[in-house]
Amino acid sequence: MALDSKVPKGPIKDKWTEYKNHINLVNPANKRHIDVIVVGTGLAGGSASATLAELGYNVKAFCYQDSPRRAHSIAAQGGINAAKNYQGDGDSTYRLFYDTVKGGDYRSREANVYRLAEVSANIIDQCVAQGVPFARDYGGLLDNRSFGGVLVSRTFYAKGQTGQQLLLGAYSAMNRQIARGKIEMFNRHEMLDVVIVDGKARGIIARNLVTGEIERHSAHAVVIASGGYGNVYFLSTNAMGSNVTAGWKVHKKGAYFANPCYTQIHPTCIPRSGDYQSKLTLMSESLRNDGRIWVPKNMEDVLAIREGKKKPTDLTEEQRDYYLERRYPAFGNLVPRDVASRAAKERCDAGYGVNATGEAVYLDFAASFERYGKEQAKIHNISNPSEAKVKELGQEIVKAKYGNLFQMYEKIVDENPYETPMMIYPAVHYTMGGVWVDYNLMTTIPGCYAIGEANFSDHGANRLGASALMQGLADGYFVLPYTIGDYLADDIRTGKISTESPEFEAAEKEVTERIEFFINNEGTHSVDYYHKKLGKIMWDKCGMSRNAEGLEIAIEEISALRKDFWQNVNVPGTSTEYNEQLAKAGRVADFLELGELFAKDALVREESAGGHFREEHQTEDGEAKRVKEFQFVSAWEYKGEPKEAVLHKEELAYENIEVKERSYKFNT
Ligand SMILES: Cc1cc2nc3c(=O)[nH]c(=O)nc-3n(C[C@H](O)[C@H](O)[C@H](O)COP(=O)(O)OP(=O)(O)OC[C@H]3O[C@@H](n4cnc5c(N)ncnc54)[C@H](O)[C@@H]3O)c2cc1C
């Protein structure tokens, strides 16, 4: 099947406007006769459900939690980007577009990214109108901070709880429609298959997780907003329930899956403490605004710290290696996530890791305490403040910015990060890959859409910080509500879709049989046994560093593990009760299939891109030699403006990246 991105013609800056001017619309009376299913009510699905219902469509929204308020989006800490240029520091739609494409290693679809940058400003206005309490500066205007990979401050935030506040906004908007009867909300329901009738997505099979009942639901279109699949690695910063099932089911029914192996490995997570851990915790990237990352310069100090003979605070400035500041003076500690993660791994692989497992570097706030403290002393007219006073004043400022994150760190690690530097290490965080969508956000199944983290497209091989919330809300509030109308305009006379068709019958039968298999199998190993084993293969062989030999072994190992799973998995309980293990069995079964595709995708990509370092590209001195292939297919930017391309090449050369120029059709 030839992929058609359906990107409108014309200059990139006019595409979205022109598109909106010419698409088919559904008039308000007709919208009342059209049903839309939205699977997932995180920021992407929640905003889409609320907006579609506000427009007049009948929405059926599904989530597996007991409330949309508990979607994984609630975990987002740092912020959301928008090209508002409130700081007057040179930001613009073009710059946000440019940074996002560059941050994604030139592997995103430029037309989508430009649209994303364009609507980013509307998102902030929408959320402020909903009452989202974004942080404000001293004058009462919305405040911004900076995130990795950019040279401006464009990140809007609500302390370290941005996702939670945005989700409350989307949830309120949804609730208004639930109260009006325009959204029918199905909490604790899991979509287990999509139903295709005459080549179009016309419904889903869902399981009521409380009663176990299998239900048929029909609609004129189905929207997948089910989030990311980082939990294929078992340990990740994702919510425990995050999974690939909805995306995988539509893939198995014919929707293409793109870039499965592009995973973001976030540089600032709390290091793993041992083998019995089931979750990793993110420390927001915003901390890199004020924290400096280092490891000891000398191996004796590393060993002394590990043995408890020295504390990090015993080391002088000269004894520390602020390796990001040393290697990347322009960006310093705010290099993009992939660069920061690889650099931390490189130092730890070289033996400089500072904790017992050798997998930790320091994130140190001492310099910020001093800088803010001196400023505060001046502001408050305190002459000759003592060192302790300066530190105290500085800590108050840091506390106001990130207090909840410091508290979370102390609770988990049992060390006070105001007194000793935090320890951090990269962890799986976000999946750039997902269900392939065209410019309309439609998958290759007509009538089936994918939005938010569940789709691919906007972030290429690596997502910049604070851009996932932006994308999810752009898709849900501002893009899908237009594009879906263009498709649904043909459905105004279709009438209700019946669930009494052979297609619904067959899909329900398949789902029921699989559930019965799990309950009746009476195997020897728990679902988690398999999930952990899969996670270890993924992390060891499909993680930050990859090589052909390891990937080939991973493919064999995953395939053997899947076989074992289907013979020996044990699921306790029954299918007619609330049964977490049963739900998890289905999710892990899908991870076991995705894992293999993931490794195959990684194997054929003979390049280092995003967070992934292909070991065959290692140079003699151990540095990563990365190969980049520009997408000249849609590279309007580079064609007309050779200066830009030259600039990229200089930057890439700095990172020892070999630039291969060729037409790169994959991301159309
Ligand atoms: C710790 C952490 C911090 C982050 N911080 C930031 C940040 O500061 N800024 C930023 O931009 N991004 C951040 N991100 C990324 C961002 O939070 C996510 O990418 C984004 O919230 C995903 O939103 P979503 O709506 O696509 O999916 P989710 O919020 O994951 O929602 C998925 C929804 O799908 C439902 N669902 C899934 N499968 C099924 C199924 N089979 N049937 C029924 N329902 C289903 C779930 O119930 C849920 O409602 C962070 C991520 C993590 C892990």
Side-chain angles (χ1 to χ4, degrees), residues 40-41 43-44 64-65 72-73 76 78-79 191 282 429-430 453 466 468-469:
T41 50
L43 282 175
Y64 59 73
Q65 289 94 348
H72 159 69
S73 289
M191 168 204 161
L282 174 83
H429 180 61
Y430 182 91
E453 193 174 342
L469 302 186

Side-chain angles (χ1 to χ4, degrees), residues 302-375:
V302 173
L303 297 176
I305 286 174
R306 283 195 202 158
E307 288 162 14
K309 292 180 186 152
K310 268 191 183 171
K311 290 191 289 206
T313 43
D314 294 336
L315 267 57
T316 62
E317 283 296 296
E318 291 67 42
Q319 292 168 323
R320 300 169 178 206
D321 176 15
Y322 294 96
Y323 57 86
L324 289 178
E325 295 171 31
R326 169 170 61 79
R327 285 170 60 170
Y328 309 101
F331 285 89
N333 294 293
L334 283 173
V335 290
R337 290 176 176 178
D338 57 332
V339 177
S341 291
R342 277 198 317 277
K345 182 168 173 2
E346 187 277 325
R347 282 295 75 197
C348 292
D349 287 352
Y352 290 86
V354 293
N355 67 352
T357 62
E359 291 181 341
V361 299
Y362 288 125
L363 179 65
D364 195 334
F365 292 85
S368 289
F369 297 154
E370 193 181 326
R371 180 164 49 88
Y372 286 127
K374 283 185 176 160
E375 192 179 282

Side-chain angles (χ1 to χ4, degrees), residues 28-49:
N30 285 331
K31 286 193 183 104
R32 288 198 286 273
H33 304 301
I34 291 185
D35 305 328
V36 180
I37 283 176
V38 181
V39 178
T41 50
L43 282 175
S47 55
S49 301

Side-chain angles (χ1 to χ4, degrees), residues 148-299:
V150 303
L151 299 171
V152 295
S153 293
R154 64 162 73 101
T155 305
F156 294 78
Y157 64 100
K159 230 176 180 185
Q161 310 163 351
T162 316
Q164 179 177 9
Q165 298 307 327
L166 292 171
L167 193 59
L168 286 172
Y171 178 65
S172 325
M174 274 185 83
N175 258 340
R176 185 176 125 76
Q177 302 303 330
I178 293 172
R180 289 177 66 214
K182 291 303 291 180
I183 295 181
E184 202 179 343
M185 184 65 225
F186 294 87
N187 296 323
R188 287 261 185 245
H189 275 66
E190 182 161 30
M191 168 204 161
L192 294 177
D193 210 352
V194 61
V195 182
I196 316 280
V197 181
D198 295 334
K200 293 180 176 175
R202 291 301 199 188
I204 63 167
I205 303 295
R207 179 165 176 267
N208 179 328
L209 293 170
V210 179
T211 63
E213 202 176 327
I214 305 295
E215 300 170 5
R216 301 177 187 186
H217 295 275
S218 69
H220 298 88
V222 174
V223 180
I224 303 297
S226 53
Y229 52 81
N231 282 345
V232 67
Y233 282 87
F234 185 68
L235 284 181
S236 87
T237 62
N238 288 190
M240 293 291 287
S242 294
N243 68 87
V244 76
T245 291
W248 196 248
K249 295 304 184 199
V250 300
H251 170 55
K252 291 192 83 173
K253 285 275 168 83
Y256 278 25
F257 210 92
N259 304 347
C261 79
Y262 285 159
T263 314
Q264 178 161 95
I265 315 240
H266 197 295
T268 56
C269 301
I270 298 180
R272 195 172 60 89
S273 63
D275 286 341
Y276 294 99
Q277 199 164 336
S278 52
K279 170 94 187 72
L280 291 173
T281 306
L282 174 83
M283 299 309 297
S284 167
E285 172 169 342
S286 58
L287 293 170
R288 285 202 273 144
N289 273 286
D290 286 310
R292 297 178 71 196
I293 296 176
W294 64 276
V295 290
K297 250 185 210 156
N298 307 315
M299 191 51 79

